[in-house]
Amino acid sequence: MSTPGQATPSASAAAPSQATGSSAATATPTSTGTAPSAAPASATRTAPTAARPSTTPRLLRVLRGVAAAVALLTGVAASGTLSTDGVAATPTALAQEWTATQRASVLVAEADQALAQRVVDGDTDESRAAFERITTEVSRELGTVGDDGGAPEAWATYLVAAERAGTSVGYSAGEGQDRYGTARQGAADAGQALQRVADQRVDALSGPRSELTGVLGTLATLALLGVLVVLALRTRRIVNVPVLAATAITAGLTYLSVNPGSLPVDYEAQLASPATTATALASVHEARAAQLAESVGAGDAWRGAAAAAGEALAATDEGSDLVTDWEEIAEGDADGASISASQEDFEGLAATLEQRLDDQLAAVDTQVGAPALITAGAALLLGVVAAALAWTGITRRLQDYR
């Protein structure tokens, strides 16, 4: 039995137990170790998803390489360095080849005159040596002209026919006349082949650099325009000034390459004067050959050839004086006496034309080759500038992603 005021053992034991329970209940809300198990799942659902890397930088690098490449290739094509056939001839080489065609054309006509003289003289050693000297000069000039245009083949055919005609002394038989007629036709074919080559060289100098320029330049301009559109959409910049400048340069090079008349240099006009002189000199030799041949019954082309020579002389820069000299020569008939009487005047006229032609052809490299070389160099430089602008413009946008 307990006395009043004294706690019993059981009550004393119960009190600490209740205190402990109360203390534990009080500490539970502040304990992190006993957090609800649902909390990690909720955190996982609300965590942001990792962003994928942008593909724009990689695209810009590709566009930068493409834009610079097409701009540079346009400049190379516009310079005439490349063509659809491979590496193209330089402007200086084209001018030299054109000059060689003019000299060769005159020499072919002179060879035809020497052949006629060889026939008239009866194939003497002197006339044969004169003919062979001229043919050697023609072959040397053809080496500069090149193999295109069919000139070497036509000249080889002429030499075979000329050798057969040169041995047909007297031309009393129809076979001899046929042989000389065949040789003269061969000379005409060689002259026409040389004219085709000359026209090709003029086109190469003053015409479009090549078909490659127009095709590549157009594609390059379209490609650069496409790059501008992609940059505007991807980088939120309306205009990329460097790339726009590169596009303008590429378009300008393409236009000038396919429209050479827009350039201040007119190569055809500069080549017209020596070409006219060469034609006049060749016509004079052809007319003399016709006169010699007709004097031995090997043709009847003297009067027609004399008229053609007069027209060619009238087209030269000093045509009136030359025509007057030629008319005095052309008054004679196709006979030995007239030929001998006009020989000194003929040689003087031919020498005057030869000197004039030499002076004009000597100036071709300066008047034609140098300007064409400058134009080609400027086109190549503009291509490099356009490529640099395209590279710089896209690089600036690419730096925004670093």
Side-chain angles (χ1 to χ4, degrees):
M1 176 178 288
S2 61
T3 58
Q6 183 179 3
T8 61
S10 59
S12 299
S17 175
Q18 293 174 356
T20 302
S22 175
S23 176
T26 305
T28 298
T30 62
S31 174
T32 58
T34 59
S37 60
S42 175
T44 301
R45 288 195 302 268
T46 59
T49 303
R52 290 180 297 179
S54 174
T55 60
T56 300
R58 180 183 301 175
L59 176 62
L60 291 180
R61 292 187 184 95
V62 174
L63 292 178
R64 181 175 61 180
V66 171
V70 297
L72 180 60
L73 287 176
T74 301
V76 173
S79 70
T81 305
L82 297 177
S83 69
T84 52
D85 299 326
V87 178
T90 63
T92 301
L94 292 171
Q96 292 173 349
E97 291 173 3
W98 183 87
T99 298
T101 62
Q102 302 308 297
R103 296 188 188 279
S105 297
V106 172
L107 287 170
V108 167
E110 190 175 352
D112 191 32
Q113 178 187 335
L115 175 61
Q117 187 67 58
R118 179 179 167 187
V119 171
V120 171
D121 293 344
D123 197 23
T124 62
D125 292 340
E126 182 180 357
S127 61
R128 175 185 286 269
F131 175 77
E132 291 177 350
R133 175 185 59 79
I134 298 172
T135 57
T136 300
E137 294 180 11
V138 174
S139 299
R140 183 176 63 250
E141 296 294 341
L142 288 177
T144 303
V145 169
D147 297 333
D148 58 335
E153 293 80 1
W155 177 246
T157 302
Y158 167 74
L159 288 178
V160 174
E163 188 59 31
R164 295 181 69 240
T167 58
S168 301
V169 180
Y171 280 89
S172 57
E175 181 182 359
Q177 296 180 20
D178 292 341
R179 287 184 178 185
Y180 182 74
T182 301
R184 290 212 69 187
Q185 183 58 49
D189 293 342
Q192 292 173 0
L194 287 168
Q195 185 58 50
R196 288 194 297 270
V197 176
D199 293 340
Q200 292 172 1
R201 299 304 181 265
V202 173
D203 290 341
L205 281 169
S206 60
R209 290 297 182 185
S210 68
E211 296 178 359
L212 182 64
T213 306
V215 174
L216 181 59
T218 301
L219 293 177
T221 302
L222 293 175
L224 290 172
L225 289 173
V227 169
L228 285 170
V229 173
V230 172
L231 289 175
L233 295 176
R234 285 284 188 144
T235 65
R236 307 300 182 182
R237 304 293 180 91
I238 297 177
V239 177
N240 189 302
V241 176
V243 178
L244 180 62
T247 305
I249 292 174
T250 302
L253 286 174
T254 304
Y255 175 79
L256 291 177
S257 295
V258 299
N259 296 279
S262 302
L263 294 172
V265 181
D266 189 349
Y267 297 110
E268 291 188 20
Q270 293 180 352
L271 295 175
S273 183
T276 301
T277 303
T279 300
L281 181 55
S283 298
V284 166
H285 284 300
E286 291 169 357
R288 193 63 160 181
Q291 187 181 22
L292 287 166
E294 189 171 334
S295 69
V296 292
D300 57 356
W302 159 235
R303 286 304 172 189
E311 293 176 357
L313 289 168
T316 60
D317 295 338
E318 299 180 4
S320 58
D321 295 337
L322 297 175
V323 169
T324 300
D325 295 340
W326 175 249
E327 287 176 348
E328 295 178 0
I329 299 172
E331 287 177 355
D333 295 326
D335 53 52
S338 298
I339 293 173
S340 298
S342 62
Q343 184 62 27
E344 184 177 352
D345 293 338
F346 176 83
E347 291 177 354
L349 176 62
T352 299
L353 288 170
E354 287 173 3
Q355 184 60 51
R356 182 175 301 171
L357 180 61
D358 289 341
D359 294 340
Q360 292 173 340
L361 293 180
V364 166
D365 288 344
T366 303
Q367 297 176 350
V368 177
L373 188 61
I374 293 173
T375 302
L380 183 59
L381 179 60
L382 286 173
V384 173
V385 171
L389 286 171
W391 185 277
T392 301
I394 300 178
T395 299
R396 290 180 180 177
R397 300 286 73 79
L398 187 61
Q399 290 174 347
D400 294 341
Y401 292 84
R402 295 178 181 176

